[in-house]
Amino acid sequence: TGGHTTEILRLLSCLSESYSPRHYVLADSDKMSEAKIHSFEQKRAETFSKSQFTLDRIPRSREVRQSWISSVVTTLYSILYSLPLTYKRKPDLILCNGPGTCVPVCLSAFLLGLLRIKRTIIVYVESICRVETLSLSGKILYYFSDYFIVQWPDLKKKYPKSVYLGRVV
């Protein structure tokens, strides 16, 4: 909610109209991001008249300060919920930046690739606020993403698979 949404919308504002339709996946309890996305897409439609998007909701995989044990269960539930959605949408690319909601979606897409149903490119952009360590989502998706982008040179040194592009948001 809030910060991650603002960062991802900044990234999306740089994309051409060929990245359409866009499918947003939000936690079912996230109302703030929905409003930001609608506002962003209304402005985008002024430039790109054929711009298309959808909003889908999945159960939140982890609440702030939720215990690690219970978050395993809720994340598994979110993955099971994400599988039919990912299968239905069959995205070519997933661009994500750290909220817990991205983990089940990426793992679902990764699984569909393993099953040779649909190969999806996963691009993870670690939040600008992660200067010295990765977020929990980053620590998980470091191993599943095709491109793992960090915004600080110290993170590139610690995580050699990552790509350092400087500040991207």
Side-chain angles (χ1 to χ4, degrees):
T1 338
H4 288 296
T5 303
T6 300
E7 285 186 8
I8 202 72
L9 293 178
R10 283 185 187 157
L11 283 171
L12 292 177
S13 69
C14 300
L15 296 180
S16 72
E17 68 181 310
S18 63
Y19 290 91
S20 184
R22 283 166 306 290
H23 305 287
Y24 297 92
V25 180
L26 322 166
D28 52 8
S29 60
D30 187 352
K31 303 294 182 215
M32 183 186 307
S33 293
E34 182 177 358
K36 287 182 176 191
I37 290 165
H38 279 292
S39 175
F40 170 81
E41 288 293 340
Q42 283 176 338
K43 289 177 187 166
R44 189 170 175 89
E46 293 170 7
T47 307
F48 304 116
S49 60
K50 296 181 183 184
S51 185
Q52 297 177 336
F53 76 99
T54 62
L55 279 171
D56 292 299
R57 296 189 172 279
I58 65 169
R60 189 175 290 273
S61 59
R62 184 170 186 267
E63 295 287 345
V64 176
R65 293 189 256 309
Q66 181 179 347
S67 75
W68 296 107
I69 301 285
S70 66
S71 66
V72 169
V73 174
T74 55
T75 300
L76 287 173
Y77 177 67
S78 293
I79 291 168
L80 289 175
Y81 199 93
S82 297
L83 274 168
L85 174 63
T86 309
Y87 179 79
K88 176 184 169 186
R89 297 289 182 209
K90 291 187 178 70
D92 296 317
L93 171 79
I94 294 178
L95 177 63
C96 56
N97 68 328
T101 305
C102 72
V103 173
V105 174
C106 290
L107 293 179
S108 296
F110 185 79
L111 181 60
L112 291 179
L114 287 177
L115 296 173
R116 303 215 185 281
I117 294 172
K118 171 64 176 166
R119 169 76 172 98
T120 301
I121 296 170
I122 299 172
V123 178
Y124 182 87
V125 181
E126 185 62 272
S127 176
I128 187 74
C129 67
R130 302 308 297 205
V131 178
E132 296 180 10
T133 62
L134 297 180
S135 63
L136 178 58
S137 298
K139 289 174 184 173
I140 295 167
L141 294 177
Y142 181 76
Y143 300 100
F144 297 98
S145 61
D146 296 286
Y147 300 96
F148 191 93
I149 299 168
V150 295
Q151 300 184 63
W152 295 95
D154 287 350
L155 285 177
K156 170 63 181 162
K157 291 175 193 167
K158 289 180 182 177
Y159 300 94
K161 176 191 166 193
S162 67
V163 177
Y164 169 66
L165 297 176
R167 184 176 177 199
V168 294
V169 294

